[in-house]
Amino acid sequence: MATKFFLDSGDPKETKEVLTLLGKLDGQTTNPSLIAKNPDAVGKKFTSEEIYSFYENVVKQISSQIPNGSVSIEVYADNNTKAEAMIEQGLKFNTWIPNPSTNRSDDYRLRYGARAHIKLPTTAEGLKAASELVKQGVRVNMTLVFSQAQAAAIYAATKGAKKGDVFVSPFVGRLDDRGENGMDLIKNILTMYKGGDGHVEVLSASIRSLEHFTKTIELGCDLITAPLKAYKEWVGFGSPLSMDGRGQGEGVQLKPIPYQEISLDKPWQEYNIAHELTDKGVEKFAADWNNLIDQN
Ligand code: G3P
């Protein structure tokens, strides 16, 4: 199946630009760091209430431009946040856009209204929240994925959800940053999921180069989320991707990530999901969000 295209951005003006470039867009992913980069947020401080209405407004501006697409909305979580707090946020964010119920027919759901995917960290608390949210008919996007075991745990924690209602987001660029071949992880997860029921879709994320972009498509990955710069380069208008000086390791030999035989049939709690990049990523998202809030 052809890869679906998502924009990785917290700025609705970029949604418009990509729509002009491509003619269509299947979805958009946001996260606290991307919301902090929205031009209307840069240099500003918000109260805790204001920041959520700002986020809601951004999400609404995005979803109205992609009426049948998916919009990923990320919960606030630091490494102490409990599943219950994530569930509460997820249920609230889920009301921000039209969001046809997952109980509707596939045809209805795809035709009518943007869909929210609630982004949760791939930690024990995040997986606990995911397992509960999918039971309540909420779609989820599990973020900060850096290992095949984490992807297996996501599969197990969300069993029973409909195809398209659960995304797994491996962060390719951040693995490359530390010398590991992030694209191998995408390939390995796709291979592992071939043995499953297809309810989780793989969303290639943290895209830093045109090579990441084209390889994701070559692999037949379900979805890709990429920044505006990547789309510009892909359609031949932009200059080569320069992602804030990161991921510029062209010519650098990346260490292959070997495939692991992992069964998808265990309870999710039994997989070893610990990964230092997940913990670091959670802290960075939390710090970027807290930085938007006036602490006085
Ligand atoms: O979608 C994931 C993305 O926003 C993270 O990208 O470049 O910060 O690793 P990056």
Side-chain angles (χ1 to χ4, degrees):
M1 227 181 59
T3 304
K4 291 193 178 126
F5 297 119
F6 285 23
L7 174 68
D8 198 26
S9 166
D11 182 1
K13 290 194 194 79
E14 295 194 347
T15 320
K16 191 169 175 216
E17 271 196 67
V18 169
L19 279 166
T20 310
L21 277 180
L22 301 183
K24 68 170 271 205
L25 187 64
D26 298 300
Q28 184 155 338
T29 48
T30 67
N31 66 40
S33 308
L34 293 171
I35 293 298
K37 283 189 194 151
N38 179 301
D40 294 327
V42 174
K44 283 210 188 118
K45 292 283 181 197
F46 300 80
T47 64
S48 340
E49 290 79 40
E50 280 167 359
I51 190 60
Y52 283 103
S53 61
F54 180 78
Y55 197 4
E56 179 177 355
N57 193 271
V58 165
V59 164
K60 286 187 164 149
Q61 285 183 51
I62 294 169
S63 68
S64 63
Q65 295 183 72
I66 42 172
N68 298 318
S70 151
V71 184
S72 285
I73 314 168
E74 186 153 338
V75 300
Y76 171 85
D78 57 29
N79 282 316
N80 298 315
T81 306
K82 294 286 174 212
E84 291 66 32
M86 297 186 206
I87 294 168
E88 196 184 321
Q89 294 178 70
L91 291 172
K92 183 165 122 203
F93 300 169
N94 204 43
T95 64
W96 285 355
I97 53 181
N99 222 7
S101 154
T102 57
N103 297 325
R104 292 286 194 154
S105 70
D106 288 349
D107 184 55
Y108 182 96
R109 293 180 318 128
L110 293 173
R111 269 172 210 255
Y112 302 106
R115 306 176 292 290
H117 279 84
I118 302 302
K119 269 176 111 173
L120 301 159
T122 308
T123 56
E125 293 300 316
L127 284 163
K128 203 171 150 194
S131 157
E132 181 52 37
L133 283 170
V134 294
K135 282 188 201 125
Q136 296 195 37
V138 175
R139 301 167 184 86
V140 297
N141 175 357
M142 301 307 292
T143 191
L144 293 163
V145 169
F146 296 99
S147 77
Q148 220 188 296
Q150 288 178 325
I154 289 165
Y155 178 95
T158 58
K159 229 168 162 195
K162 285 193 180 174
K163 181 172 167 57
D165 289 348
V166 181
F167 300 157
V168 53
S169 292
F171 275 28
V172 175
R174 292 194 194 180
L175 282 165
D176 283 17
D177 287 345
R178 63 173 206 177
E180 293 177 59
N181 191 338
M183 283 313 302
D184 283 349
L185 179 61
I186 300 285
K187 198 165 57 186
N188 295 344
I189 296 173
L190 287 169
T191 306
M192 177 175 71
Y193 280 175
K194 279 201 184 114
D197 60 14
H199 80 274
V200 185
E201 292 191 327
V202 182
L203 173 58
S204 184
S206 180
I207 298 300
R208 305 279 175 72
S209 65
L210 196 54
E211 202 187 333
H212 287 157
F213 199 92
T214 51
K215 276 227 168 107
T216 297
I217 296 169
E218 256 172 55
L219 286 172
C221 190
D222 307 285
L223 319 149
I224 184 167
T225 188
L228 176 62
K229 284 177 189 173
Y231 285 107
K232 283 191 175 160
E233 189 184 357
W234 187 51
V235 299
F237 288 118
S239 47
L241 280 181
S242 154
M243 308 297 294
D244 311 327
R246 299 170 303 168
Q248 301 301 298
E250 222 151 287
V252 173
Q253 199 56 42
L254 295 169
K255 203 168 137 237
I257 301 177
Y259 182 75
Q260 294 171 280
E261 283 302 336
I262 299 180
S263 150
L264 293 170
D265 294 330
K266 295 194 287 184
W268 69 262
Q269 294 89 342
E270 288 183 19
Y271 297 94
N272 178 8
I273 58 156
H275 200 288
E276 79 175 292
L277 289 183
T278 305
D279 295 341
K280 263 173 88 175
V282 167
E283 287 305 335
K284 173 78 173 106
F285 282 152
D288 284 346
W289 186 256
N290 286 328
N291 207 24
L292 286 167
I293 300 169
D294 192 348
Q295 307 294 346
N296 295 315

